[in-house]
Structures are given as structure tokens and as C-alpha cells.
Amino acid sequence: MKRKPLLLLSLFLLSTLACRKEPEPDIPCNDFIGFTCLVNGEPFKTEGNLRCAGFSKWYNPDTGYLVISGRNCNPDAGEVNGVSFNISEMKSVGFYSDSTFTSIIYYRSETGSVDYDSTLSGQVSITGFVEDNYSADFTNGYVEGRFEFTQYNDQLKDTAYITNGRFCMRF
């Protein structure tokens, strides 16, 4: 009679251990891959196609040169709007101010090329960065962060406010 409770307890423990969930792989950018921001309070939507990528990144590990870009593409109509920034020596997680940028550009082309290329202020916070071999679950690198900046077009006497920027991209 004593064997029955012991047998039931053993079966319960075995079934509990067998049903245990494996932990989710630790993969960066799993919940969000892309580029998003507000331009003058309006959502900037990245859209791409075969001829124009909606968002892109480029990183040179030797120099630390990082390029992050978001685009809204309609090349058939001759329109491409974009937000782009370059950091010349990005090698780790941290805060980068406008003095460390090679360039920051907000541009519109629906009315011809209009670059807002005079930076009034700007900042990028790199919150996650690994060059390569992130983990056993993910062997490439990634970069993620937040940004905001203010650009000016002298010809139009117009200011563009880029706020609530977020990006997460795998290499």
C-alpha cells in the first residue's frame, strides 16, 4: 500500500520535469527590428522595396564607423524621405552627442531634394551593441538604441524635429 503514494509522487515529479519549458533563446532585437521616429510630431514610417531599403545599417568594426538610416521609399514617383545619422567612432554602448556625428540628415524628395543638413542639436544613445558572436543562440552582432535631433534647412528657413527615435538592427 505504501508503494502507491510513492509511485504517484514519482510519476508527478517525472511529468513535471518533462513538461518544463526550455528558456527562450536570448536573441537581440527579437521584439523589434527596424527604425522608427517622429518627424515634427508625425510618425515616420519606413517603407522599402527591391530598389530602396526601408531601413539599413552599416558598421565597420576596424574604425567604429556606424551608419543608421530609415527611409520611406516611393522611387516610381521619384520620392524618398529619410532620416540618417553616422557616428564616426562607435565602439561601445554609450551616449553620443552631435559633436561625435559625422552627419545627421533629414531629407525629403517629393518636391525635389530638400536636405535638412544643419544640425542644431542631437543625441544618440547606444543601449545595446555586440560586434559579433552575441551568444550560442545568435552568432552575429547587433546594435540598438534611441535618438533625437533637430535639423535646419537654411534655404527654406525651416526646422525639422526628429524625436522618439528607436532602432534595433542585426549585423
Side-chain angles (χ1 to χ4, degrees):
M1 204 69 162
K2 288 185 176 185
R3 288 185 178 187
K4 191 172 186 177
L6 186 59
L7 180 62
L8 288 174
L9 179 61
S10 297
L11 286 173
F12 174 75
L13 288 173
L14 284 173
S15 66
T16 303
L17 291 173
C19 293
R20 206 173 51 173
K21 281 182 111 177
E22 289 296 316
E24 290 289 319
D26 188 14
I27 299 174
C29 306
N30 217 19
D31 65 331
F32 170 77
I33 295 177
F35 180 100
T36 184
C37 66
L38 300 176
V39 176
N40 296 330
E42 297 293 321
F44 179 81
K45 186 175 181 184
T46 57
E47 287 188 37
N49 56 40
L50 291 175
R51 296 184 292 176
C52 178
F55 60 87
S56 63
K57 80 290 181 193
W58 184 79
Y59 179 68
N60 181 329
D62 295 330
T63 63
Y65 192 77
L66 174 70
V67 178
I68 301 289
S69 182
R71 289 182 219 72
N72 187 318
C73 308
N74 187 358
D76 293 334
E79 298 175 2
V80 178
N81 301 321
V83 176
S84 178
F85 58 88
N86 309 342
I87 301 174
S88 57
E89 293 183 25
M90 198 287 301
K91 295 240 179 198
S92 66
V93 169
F95 178 79
Y96 297 85
S97 67
D98 53 353
S99 62
T100 58
F101 297 137
T102 306
S103 68
I104 306 172
I105 297 174
Y106 165 64
Y107 58 92
R108 300 186 328 232
S109 68
E110 67 271 4
T111 57
S113 183
V114 179
D115 292 344
Y116 289 68
D117 55 3
S118 296
T119 303
L120 301 178
S121 66
Q123 61 187 21
V124 175
S125 175
I126 303 294
T127 57
F129 171 70
V130 174
E131 280 185 34
D132 201 8
N133 295 323
Y134 175 74
S135 72
D137 299 319
F138 186 73
T139 57
N140 294 320
Y142 77 101
V143 63
E144 69 178 312
R146 299 195 172 272
F147 63 93
E148 64 180 41
F149 46 88
T150 304
Q151 295 296 107
Y152 186 72
N153 178 293
D154 193 48
Q155 180 184 1
L156 298 175
K157 307 292 186 223
D158 190 29
T159 303
Y161 300 94
I162 306 347
T163 58
N164 295 347
R166 180 180 176 206
F167 60 92
C168 194
M169 300 175 184
R170 298 177 187 169
F171 296 133

